[in-house]
Amino acid sequence: MDTTAHNLSTLFEQLGLPADANAIKTFIHWHRPLDPKVPLHQALWWHPVQSEFLRQAIEEDSDWAEQVDALDALLRPAPEAS
């Protein structure tokens, strides 16, 4: 049983990506904004294994789903001010 606390850093590790704060910030900078019509797992930059992991995390509401949602939100365009 996996008892690791899941956070953005451990999600990046799970995806096989550099997981320090600077690497995460850089990843978000270079991949943002993700088109609102494109599901996160369908973004063109993912390797098929990463894409499948992200899709399953949300579809199965796994322990990773909250962090996948957080990453998704960070990659979306900023909401327009009212």
Side-chain angles (χ1 to χ4, degrees):
M1 174 187 247
D2 180 12
T3 58
T4 306
H6 299 311
N7 56 41
L8 211 48
S9 181
T10 59
L11 174 62
F12 272 65
E13 289 173 358
Q14 185 70 21
L15 292 168
L17 299 171
D20 62 88
N22 218 23
I24 293 170
K25 183 178 178 181
T26 299
F27 180 92
I28 292 166
H29 172 78
W30 285 108
H31 293 92
R32 187 171 189 271
L34 178 58
D35 184 330
K37 298 175 200 150
V38 176
L40 177 62
H41 73 277
Q42 290 182 0
L44 297 177
W45 59 78
W46 298 122
H47 183 279
V49 173
Q50 294 168 320
S51 176
E52 182 63 13
F53 173 80
L54 295 167
R55 185 193 64 75
Q56 284 183 349
I58 296 302
E59 186 176 283
E60 297 172 6
D61 196 23
S62 77
D63 292 344
W64 290 102
E66 186 175 340
Q67 294 309 315
V68 172
D69 283 341
L71 176 58
D72 189 308
L74 290 168
L75 290 167
R76 299 301 173 168
E80 293 183 25
S82 302

